[in-house]
Amino acid sequence: MDEIIVYYVVNYSLKMTGGKVAAQTAHATQLLMQDYLELAMHNRFPSRQNPKEFYSMYDEYWELFDDWLDSNYKKVILSANQSQWEYLKKSKQKHLIVVDMGLNEIKPNSETVMVFYPMEKSTVPKQIAKLQTYKCPANKEPTAEKSNSESTES
């Protein structure tokens, strides 16, 4: 069986810190799981002992999602510039987008992370496959201000 992977795409044009990206990626995971659970609850949790009946209620994404949940939860974090981001938003591949409230770092209603439903590695669309792996931008280390008690003046 082909590896099943969830792909996350970070909107690199926002220049978020590593901590912000981690939080936004966690939000994307929450949205993905919430979507899955809402559909499962809506269909009254059909029996997993009869997979044909179960999967006939869902499209192909749900079978992959279920297999992903039964596997190692493999994830890949990628980054996209603004033009790549806009292109991916139009993708027919099922996805969700995290929209930030703007409480810190970025302006309100910024689209931060896109998460694609689980898919087999061999079926990843070219527009996703060609993206670069996310690399956190170099952030300046916080500097502590000297207090009066630390002053070296005599």
Side-chain angles (χ1 to χ4, degrees), residues 19-120:
K20 182 72 170 179
V21 169
Q24 297 303 299
T25 304
H27 290 322
T29 301
Q30 286 176 300
L31 290 175
L32 188 65
M33 294 305 298
Q34 181 180 359
D35 213 33
Y36 177 77
L37 291 174
E38 284 177 4
L39 273 173
M41 287 171 39
H42 177 74
N43 287 291
R44 304 193 193 300
F45 293 102
S47 170
R48 290 181 68 169
Q49 293 174 346
N50 187 349
K52 286 187 180 186
E53 176 185 316
F54 178 79
Y55 296 127
S56 68
M57 301 173 122
Y58 299 99
D59 59 21
E60 77 271 9
Y61 293 113
W62 298 110
E63 183 175 358
L64 288 170
F65 207 131
D66 214 35
D67 290 344
W68 181 72
L69 290 172
D70 288 338
S71 69
N72 64 1
Y73 300 98
K74 183 154 185 179
K75 294 164 279 312
V76 174
I77 315 287
L78 304 168
S79 61
N81 62 35
Q82 195 60 43
S83 63
Q84 292 168 322
W85 182 267
E86 294 302 323
Y87 185 80
L88 287 170
K89 282 174 45 174
K90 299 172 191 167
S91 173
K92 292 180 182 179
Q93 195 72 29
K94 194 160 176 64
H95 63 279
L96 299 165
I97 296 175
V98 177
V99 179
D100 192 68
M101 293 176 60
L103 299 177
N104 56 38
E105 289 194 35
I106 58 177
K107 64 183 179 180
N109 300 316
S110 296
E111 296 175 338
T112 58
V113 174
M114 189 178 307
V115 60
F116 288 86
Y117 278 59
M119 62 184 90
E120 292 178 329

